[in-house]
Amino acid sequence: MATEEESIEQAAASRRERLRALKAAQELLDAPDEDSAEAAPDKTDETNEEDNPSMRFRNYVPHDKQLQEGKVDPPVLPKFKDPVAAAPPPSEDKEDPFVNIAPKKPNWDLRRYVQKKLDKLERRTQKAIYKLMEEQEQEKQLDEGANAIED
């Protein structure tokens, strides 16, 4: 078991070294020739920091004093100025509050109870008017027919 764990650790270490070498080669390709010698040592420091990441806490306060150093201060938000609250309210003419107590239409409740009956009556009225118009048309046709026969 110990040999397997050691071989896994060796494989992980060799992989890390290869990744560091690839990053350094990529940086050499991207960086200009003058700064390439200075950039290589800086990158090794950053890779060491990547191996040991520091934790930053925004909403959590750890109990360990060593971890409390990583606490980040909450962001400071700018204060909001409410333009509506700053403006004075428009002056309105004071009205008597008792004027609006009465309903606009005093018979609204009566209309509610009688509305069905009124609708039925309206339909009957329309039918009666239609029937009267038909009778007048028939009388006109009969009068015209009688006048045509006499001529």
Side-chain angles (χ1 to χ4, degrees):
M1 282 294 225
T3 58
E4 290 178 13
E5 290 176 4
E6 290 174 2
S7 65
I8 292 173
E9 290 176 9
Q10 288 176 355
S14 65
R15 185 168 188 272
R16 276 192 219 114
E17 290 300 322
R18 281 184 284 155
L19 288 174
R20 287 182 189 148
L22 284 173
K23 283 184 183 179
Q26 186 66 32
E27 288 297 322
L28 287 175
L29 289 175
D30 292 340
D33 292 335
E34 298 169 0
D35 297 332
S36 62
E38 297 172 2
D42 292 339
K43 293 300 175 186
T44 57
D45 291 339
E46 290 180 11
T47 56
N48 289 339
E49 289 177 8
E50 290 174 4
D51 291 341
N52 300 323
S54 62
M55 293 188 185
R56 304 254 182 235
F57 301 104
R58 290 181 190 263
N59 298 327
Y60 175 69
V61 179
H63 296 289
D64 189 10
K65 291 184 180 182
Q66 191 176 25
L67 292 176
Q68 285 181 354
E69 295 171 1
K71 182 166 179 358
V72 177
D73 293 331
V76 178
L77 299 175
K79 292 196 175 188
F80 176 73
K81 295 180 182 177
D82 190 9
V84 175
S91 62
E92 297 179 7
D93 296 335
K94 301 250 179 171
E95 295 181 7
D96 188 16
F98 296 110
V99 172
N100 294 329
I101 290 177
K104 303 233 183 222
K105 295 181 180 178
N107 62 350
W108 67 271
D109 56 340
L110 296 174
R111 281 187 123 344
R112 182 180 63 195
Y113 295 127
V114 179
Q115 189 65 39
K116 290 181 184 177
K117 294 178 183 177
L118 284 175
D119 291 341
K120 190 183 289 185
L121 184 62
E122 181 68 26
R123 284 191 299 258
R124 285 185 181 173
T125 306
Q126 292 296 329
K127 286 181 182 179
I129 291 172
Y130 180 73
K131 189 181 274 187
L132 286 173
M133 288 175 56
E134 282 183 345
E135 288 176 4
Q136 288 176 357
E137 283 292 320
Q138 288 177 359
E139 287 179 11
K140 279 185 184 178
Q141 288 177 358
L142 289 176
D143 288 341
E144 289 174 5
N147 288 338
I149 296 175
E150 290 179 4
D151 289 335

